[in-house]
Amino acid sequence: MPVALLAAISVTATACQSSSGPGATGSDAKDTPAAASGAADYHPTPYDRIRDGGTYTSAGTFDDQGNPFNVNATLTASRVWSWYNADAITYSPTGDVQYNPDYFSDVKVSVEGGDQKVTLTFNPKAVFNDGTPIDWTAIRATWTANNGSNKAYAANSTDGYDRITSVEKGRDAKQAVITFKGVYPAWSSLFTTFLHPKAATVENFDKAYVKKAHPEWGAGPYTIGSWDTHSGNITFVRNPEWWGRKGKLDKRVYVNLESTAAVNAFKNGQLDSVSAVDAESLKQVKGLKGTEIRRGGSPFEYSLYLNSKSPVLADEAVRKAVEESVDRTQIAKIQFQGLDYREPLPGSAVLYSFQKGYQDNVSAVLAYAPAEARKELDAAGWKTGSDGIRARNGRKLEIGYTLLGDDPLGKATAGALAAMLKQAGIRLVIDKADEADFAGILSGRKFDLFVSGNRSMDPFGARYLCDFYCSDRDSNITGAGTPALDKEIRATGRIADRDRQITAVDKVERDALRQYAFLPLYSGPSTYAVKKGLANVGATIFYNPLPETVGWEK
């Protein structure tokens, strides 16, 4: 499953101040660790130590697009999907591959004549909830919808799928034989879950899961018990069609709440876990009786997206000046104030500083340099007016910033950006939008500047380089890039050796960042308040605990 988009989470505000130096996110650069935290904290508990029964309730809902393979899917969609669809391949917190024997009874990987072959043998008992056998046709359907050969599919990512030359039936229908052109080390990330063949038609891929659920096309220990389409609340119950290990919980409940309301609901005992995204929410939940704080590293990254197709940002000089004006250190201070947390500024869209092979590609290309930004704009013919705002050919240098919701902390972050850009003679116009508009804003590219995040769903970050930077990808919401750069990016996907591939990715990403349309801002910790005894919930890094293993410790 690919990276999953999420809306910006804004946290505690401070006034805009000067930077404490490149790479620093704390009050003193020397206190900043060399890498972000790679720790996991989720109370790992074996299946046989979890009691039968009970309910686990947290905040969440179906998103507009519930198909996680679709380009408009979000993190919420991916998390909900995993509770009533196949979790066939998962990863340990550090990224080791784990095959679920309830779906795959055997997995073999070989290389023949330089081409990789993966043979997946399905559990004989595996069926979709409508009775359709889970077999090689599910793998073929998932590949067909995502390989990019049919542009009618709005696929999130075609990378990897487009390297597959065939998906064929093996010794019988319960065996899928996947052949790649060359070797593809990240193949497991393509089939962590899969589509029911009926869900993989063009019509259903794009539209069937829009504000709808299809439990009949799902599989797993749980299925949908109820879904209130008015409130957005969902209850999952044990699936009578499930053949594998029984789910420990009687019910898994998602309650549709905004972040502030979710914290209050947790304090009132209505939720069993809640994300503590900022100092204020952490303060409210810390020390509550029967509660523990679980905090670890995070495969999240929040970035500033610049719409290269908007009239004012079509000028690369303006985009570069904007990025040079953004004091990322100060943005990170705003996010982390009160959290007792420091990390180096992120330097890549696809790898995290706690991963092998990571390089700070941003710093190799760009520095916080407001004086240089002013020179860029002078050279591009933008002259400063009496009000301090630049103009060219009678047009003011005004750039929109789309702010979701009315969270005062989000407003403060926008205010800090406005103060930074004003020093360069740029007026930031803050455009407010509802959080429900998130997917539409991105898919319709209805923004100038926008802060959004991504969560990596697997450790193979190099695979997603094209999703961020290729000019012909819907997932590249900045619209930047060139055919020549696309060619360079795609060439990295054909490198079989993972270490060599990452080295090549680092080089190409630096070229991509010189489009000045995408600027990583911060990652931050994953912090959760959790009722004591709740097992396998919290900061998991790359791990996605199987639904049947989530529950209450005996």
Side-chain angles (χ1 to χ4, degrees), residues 27 45 103 151 153 181 190 192 219 223 247 253 276 299 322 332 371 391 394 421 440 521 548-549:
S27 58
T45 306
Y103 294 99
K151 301 302 181 184
Y153 287 100
K181 181 175 178 57
L190 307 179
T192 57
T223 190
V253 180
V322 168
L421 296 183
L521 295 176
E548 63 266 31
T549 68

Side-chain angles (χ1 to χ4, degrees), residues 109-388:
V109 182
S110 61
V111 177
E112 301 174 13
D115 294 330
Q116 182 172 286
K117 184 172 288 187
V118 177
T119 303
L120 302 176
T121 304
F122 284 94
N123 188 317
K125 298 178 182 178
V127 294
F128 290 103
N129 292 335
D130 67 356
T132 301
I134 296 178
D135 59 19
W136 80 281
T137 59
I139 299 299
R140 181 182 61 180
T142 303
W143 167 58
T144 300
N146 289 284
N147 63 24
S149 61
N150 185 343
K151 301 302 181 184
Y153 287 100
N156 189 324
S157 178
T158 61
D159 286 316
Y161 298 104
D162 59 1
R163 298 282 305 282
I164 295 173
T165 55
S166 68
V167 174
E168 298 174 329
K169 183 171 73 171
R171 65 181 181 225
D172 56 34
K174 280 289 186 177
Q175 191 173 76
V177 180
I178 308 163
T179 303
F180 288 80
K181 181 175 178 57
V183 176
Y184 192 68
W187 76 266
S188 61
S189 63
L190 307 179
F191 301 107
T192 57
T193 188
F194 37 74
L195 293 167
H196 190 295
K198 289 182 180 177
T201 66
V202 171
E203 178 78 10
N204 287 339
F205 185 88
D206 290 343
K207 297 178 181 178
Y209 289 96
V210 174
K211 298 183 185 297
K212 293 178 183 176
H214 284 279
E216 75 279 12
W217 295 342
Y222 294 93
T223 190
I224 296 171
S226 64
W227 175 29
D228 185 334
T229 55
H230 178 70
S231 69
N233 297 346
I234 316 161
T235 298
F236 293 99
V237 297
R238 290 193 183 101
N239 183 4
E241 306 301 325
W242 178 237
W243 59 91
R245 287 192 303 180
K246 185 179 77 169
K248 290 290 188 176
L249 295 166
D250 291 326
K251 292 180 180 179
R252 171 67 171 101
V253 180
Y254 279 105
V255 182
N256 186 19
L257 295 170
E258 298 290 347
S259 56
T260 301
V263 170
N264 289 331
F266 180 81
K267 289 169 62 181
N268 294 334
Q270 297 167 267
L271 302 183
D272 300 309
S273 72
V274 70
S275 177
V277 299
D278 56 45
E280 180 58 31
S281 58
L282 183 59
K283 179 182 175 182
Q284 290 191 52
V285 297
K286 203 169 186 177
L288 288 177
K289 187 177 180 180
T291 294
E292 58 187 25
I293 302 300
R294 299 177 185 172
R295 183 164 87 168
S298 172
F300 289 79
E301 185 172 272
Y302 294 90
S303 304
L304 180 66
Y305 292 82
L306 292 79
N307 182 2
S308 67
K309 303 302 183 183
S310 75
V312 67
L313 291 174
D315 186 341
E316 184 179 297
V318 175
R319 297 200 304 272
K320 186 179 181 185
V322 168
E323 292 195 3
E324 288 174 330
S325 299
V326 174
D327 184 352
R328 297 193 298 150
T329 294
Q330 184 57 33
I331 297 296
K333 281 184 181 179
I334 290 172
Q335 303 301 326
F336 304 150
Q337 182 177 338
L339 295 180
D340 188 27
Y341 176 82
R342 289 184 176 89
E343 67 178 17
L345 292 170
S348 171
V350 295
L351 290 174
Y352 301 94
S353 57
F354 55 76
Q355 287 186 279
K356 182 183 177 183
Y358 165 85
Q359 294 287 327
D360 184 353
N361 297 322
V362 173
S363 294
V365 169
L366 187 85
Y368 169 55
E372 289 299 315
R374 291 189 285 270
K375 290 179 183 177
E376 298 275 355
L377 294 173
D378 286 340
W382 292 95
K383 305 302 181 185
T384 306
S386 58
D387 58 356

